[in-house]
Amino acid sequence: MNDEKTTYYSINEDTGNAQLYIYDRSGRITVHRLKDGDTLGRNYEGATSSILLNSPIVSRRHGEFLFSNGTYWYRDAGSLNGTYINGKRYGKNAPDGLSGKALKDGDVIRIDQENPDFMHKDAVLLIYSLDSEPVTWKELKLDDKSGDITIGRDPGEEGGIRFRDKRISRRHACFRRGVSGWSIMDLGSTNGVYLNNALLTTPEPLKKPDVIWIADTLFLFLGDRILYNVHQSVGETLNIHIAERSVKNLFSKKVLLSDINLSVHSGEMVLLLGGSGAGKTTFFNAVMGYEKADAVISHGGRDVYKDYDQMRYEIGYVPQQDLLRGEDSVYMTLDNAAQMKMPRGTSKEVREKRIGEVLELLGLGPEKHSLVSKLSGGQRKRLSIAVELVADPSLFFLDEPDSGLDGVMSVSLMRNLRVIADEGKIVMVITHSPDRAADLFDKIIVLAKSQETNIGRLAFFGSVPEAKSFFSTTTLEGIVKRINRLDEGGDGRADEFIRKYEMLTAKTQQQPG
């Protein structure tokens, strides 16, 4: 066996948190937690490899991962097409005869045919990562109209990608579109940019499928789109398990919601979509603890209902109608809110600093001394958000915050909410114009009112692209049409999709791992 001068063996070592991000022709990224002795091979009837890949150019037994002296090694098992690691071929027909190498964080393993400069339609990418934190994946579509895309803690222009990670500079890097295609350039960052695990020193043209690392964030360039990961904080997950939300009158009980189970992670902005009478506001009230249900709602390991006296200060809620006083100034409004909502004993200096931060975040600094009655509709909406945000809540709920705003103002407001979510908060939004800012949402909750039981049920929970595929529509408003009743101009298919989602979740729960 010819390799990079090592002996493969395992002596019951701790194999750590290494994992593979796997991209294949499905267009999605899946995650596999590595174990010593994992084998890589094509998925076929009778296959025995522990990592199965749906690609005809992968051999039945293509390679293996072995752990030795605190390091994972990859070895090609004599596959037909070999294995490329960071662009260098290993295995059969390798120029130097090497079959494997020790892996380091960020290494790009690629199974492809002869020309590594052009990705075969059945090629598979495996990215080795030592990052143990869970991540969600986002998609950024690229087209001829796309401008520069800046990455940083403060990317500036609209369309930039914002991160909270302090290892990422304020303006760290930029994807730039030129006459010959896209390129990546470092904007003078402190910690650098890595292209295919090599430090970027000059702007470089991009080709499919290049891998860019910035701190612990991976960007996968696919020509017409970029996939990138966003880290989650498991300790700040909002877990929602509503068995039933009902109301009673003298003679009977009416069930409004039932069987709703889902989890939302820190940093996610979630759209709550529903048909007429599906119970969107009822759902909000139950999750926030304003109207308790037969449910378990927890956040960061705490029970929202049992610990409500403490948790209510961590929940921000912006209703449809604001309660602002027109004769007060913007600053006075926020100062009054801060005194009521911030912890008792908060100093004046800390309170003023927080007010300043919120004014800047929501673009209200120039209106600091303006009367509320003189504000435009968009400014008034942002002030309503600021009133709740000043206490720095970790959970933020907004019921139609863009109601009455035109398209431009609505999108601007939603971008403000996206920035708030990117600070690590959970943001949930109800809006009747969801397609205006569909690309800003990480997840979508769809509630539908069953015509069979007259009860609001969960009809879908997942990403926006997954939702459109699930409901076979190209728009989010099309989803509402699918589940609304016929007499409301809808397709009357609520129960069909409720059952379809039940089957989907049941199937997912039965899958191993």
Side-chain angles (χ1 to χ4, degrees):
M1 177 178 64
N2 195 357
D3 52 37
E4 293 185 345
K5 298 180 181 179
T6 187
T7 301
Y8 294 104
Y9 62 91
S10 178
I11 49 173
N12 298 319
E13 297 167 287
D14 179 4
T15 54
N17 293 315
Q19 58 190 1
L20 294 173
Y21 297 131
I22 303 173
Y23 174 83
D24 59 21
R25 59 184 177 176
S26 70
R28 296 180 295 107
I29 290 180
T30 57
V31 181
H32 176 85
R33 182 73 67 183
L34 270 176
K35 302 182 295 297
D36 181 32
D38 268 342
T39 55
L40 193 68
R42 187 169 73 247
N43 190 4
Y44 65 97
E45 186 175 354
T48 58
S49 294
S50 54
I51 305 174
L52 296 175
L53 304 174
N54 296 312
S55 170
I57 64 175
V58 174
S59 296
R60 292 194 171 199
R61 186 176 177 86
H62 202 102
E64 60 185 338
F65 295 88
L66 300 164
F67 192 80
S68 177
N69 295 330
T71 302
Y72 269 102
W73 292 72
Y74 174 82
R75 180 177 63 181
D76 186 275
S79 66
L80 176 64
N81 290 307
T83 306
Y84 296 89
I85 303 179
N86 300 331
K88 179 179 177 180
R89 181 163 182 150
Y90 292 83
K92 190 175 181 180
N93 298 326
D96 50 13
L98 295 177
S99 63
K101 74 178 294 287
L103 297 175
K104 60 183 183 296
D105 193 21
D107 275 350
V108 180
I109 303 168
R110 181 172 166 186
I111 300 174
D112 209 335
Q113 293 193 328
E114 285 297 327
N115 192 342
D117 291 330
F118 296 94
M119 185 178 182
H120 189 277
K121 64 181 179 66
D122 294 316
V124 178
L125 219 61
L126 303 98
I127 302 159
Y128 178 77
S129 174
L130 297 177
D131 186 3
S132 61
E133 294 184 12
V135 298
T136 55
W137 292 92
K138 292 189 176 183
E139 179 180 289
L140 178 65
K141 293 184 178 179
L142 305 174
D143 55 39
D144 293 339
K145 297 179 181 179
S146 300
D148 288 356
I149 301 167
T150 302
I151 301 159
R153 295 203 319 274
D154 184 15
E157 66 279 341
E158 289 188 2
I161 305 176
R162 187 185 302 268
F163 291 95
R164 302 186 304 276
D165 193 333
K166 293 184 178 179
R167 292 170 297 175
I168 297 178
S169 300
R170 290 182 65 251
R171 288 171 57 83
H172 196 109
C174 178
F175 289 103
R176 175 155 291 172
R177 186 174 64 85
V179 176
S180 58
W182 287 88
S183 62
I184 178 72
M185 61 186 300
D186 191 321
L187 297 178
S189 68
T190 301
N191 294 311
V193 177
Y194 290 81
L195 175 62
N196 298 322
N197 231 13
L199 181 64
L200 190 70
T201 56
T202 60
E204 291 286 344
L206 294 172
K207 62 181 183 300
K208 176 182 178 180
D210 278 340
V211 174
I212 299 99
W213 283 97
I214 296 177
D216 287 334
T217 297
L218 180 159
F219 297 83
L220 179 58
F221 177 78
L222 295 169
D224 62 343
R225 59 201 172 106
I226 295 170
L227 299 179
Y228 64 98
N229 60 27
V230 177
H231 289 77
Q232 304 167 1
S233 175
V234 175
E236 296 177 355
T237 297
L238 174 64
N239 295 304
I240 300 171
H241 303 288
I242 300 176
E244 184 180 285
R245 167 71 178 111
S246 60
V247 293
K248 294 181 179 179
N249 57 30
L250 292 176
F251 305 104
S252 63
K253 179 179 77 171
K254 181 179 181 180
V255 179
L256 305 176
L257 297 172
S258 71
D259 300 322
I260 298 175
N261 301 283
L262 55 94
S263 296
V264 180
H265 300 289
S266 170
E268 289 186 331
M269 181 168 162
V270 180
L271 170 65
L272 177 58
L273 202 61
S276 177
K280 297 184 292 295
T281 301
T282 300
F283 173 81
F284 263 17
N285 289 338
V287 174
M288 291 186 292
Y290 289 1
E291 297 175 352
K292 293 181 174 60
D294 177 6
V296 176
I297 313 294
S298 64
H299 179 248
R302 291 182 295 168
D303 190 306
V304 173
Y305 289 4
K306 293 179 180 178
D307 301 320
Y308 183 72
D309 286 344
Q310 291 77 37
M311 289 292 297
R312 62 178 177 170
Y313 297 107
E314 298 181 27
I315 300 171
Y317 175 53
V318 180
Q320 293 181 34
Q321 301 297 323
D322 69 61
L323 302 175
L324 304 174
R325 295 188 301 185
E327 63 271 19
D328 289 346
S329 70
V330 168
Y331 188 88
M332 186 186 304
T333 300
L334 287 182
D335 191 41
N336 289 338
Q339 292 185 52
M340 289 189 295
K341 297 175 182 290
M342 294 183 78
R344 185 178 298 175
T346 300
S347 68
K348 180 179 179 182
E349 292 76 16
V350 170
R351 190 171 71 245
E352 289 178 343
K353 181 175 183 292
R354 179 58 183 165
I355 292 171
E357 292 171 348
V358 171
L359 286 169
E360 181 181 359
L361 177 64
L362 292 171
L364 290 170
E367 308 302 327
K368 179 178 177 179
H369 300 299
S370 299
L371 291 177
V372 172
S373 60
K374 301 297 183 181
L375 298 179
S376 68
Q379 291 169 337
R380 193 169 178 121
K381 291 285 186 181
R382 278 183 278 147
L383 180 57
S384 293
I385 293 171
V387 164
E388 293 298 316
L389 189 61
V390 74
D392 200 21
S394 53
L395 302 173
F396 210 37
F397 300 82
L398 302 101
D399 193 345
E400 297 187 44
D402 57 344
S403 176
L405 302 184
D406 63 29
V408 174
M409 294 177 68
S410 173
V411 172
S412 176
L413 181 68
M414 290 298 180
R415 290 193 185 281
N416 286 137
L417 299 180
R418 177 70 261 175
V419 172
I420 292 170
D422 288 340
E423 290 187 333
K425 303 181 189 306
I426 290 175
V427 177
M428 279 197 190
V429 183
I430 298 173
T431 174
H432 287 302
S433 303
D435 289 297
R436 287 175 174 173
D439 60 316
L440 299 178
F441 293 100
D442 298 295
K443 298 285 178 60
I444 175 172
I445 300 169
V446 181
L447 298 181
K449 190 171 187 178
S450 168
Q451 294 185 51
E452 297 173 356
T453 63
N454 207 34
I455 296 172
R457 299 283 304 278
L458 185 61
F460 183 80
F461 175 63
S463 70
V464 171
E466 289 169 340
K468 291 178 179 178
S469 175
F470 183 84
F471 289 95
S472 299
T473 179
T474 58
T475 66
L476 297 182
E477 291 181 9
I479 293 175
V480 178
K481 184 175 185 298
R482 290 279 188 269
I483 57 180
N484 268 350
R485 297 197 311 265
L486 294 173
D487 60 3
E488 296 169 330
D491 297 339
R493 299 171 62 185
D495 289 292
E496 173 190 337
F497 287 106
I498 291 170
R499 283 191 288 267
K500 181 180 177 181
Y501 185 69
E502 285 179 339
M503 293 175 63
L504 176 65
T505 52
K507 183 178 179 180
T508 302
Q509 292 168 359
Q510 290 171 3
Q511 291 177 349

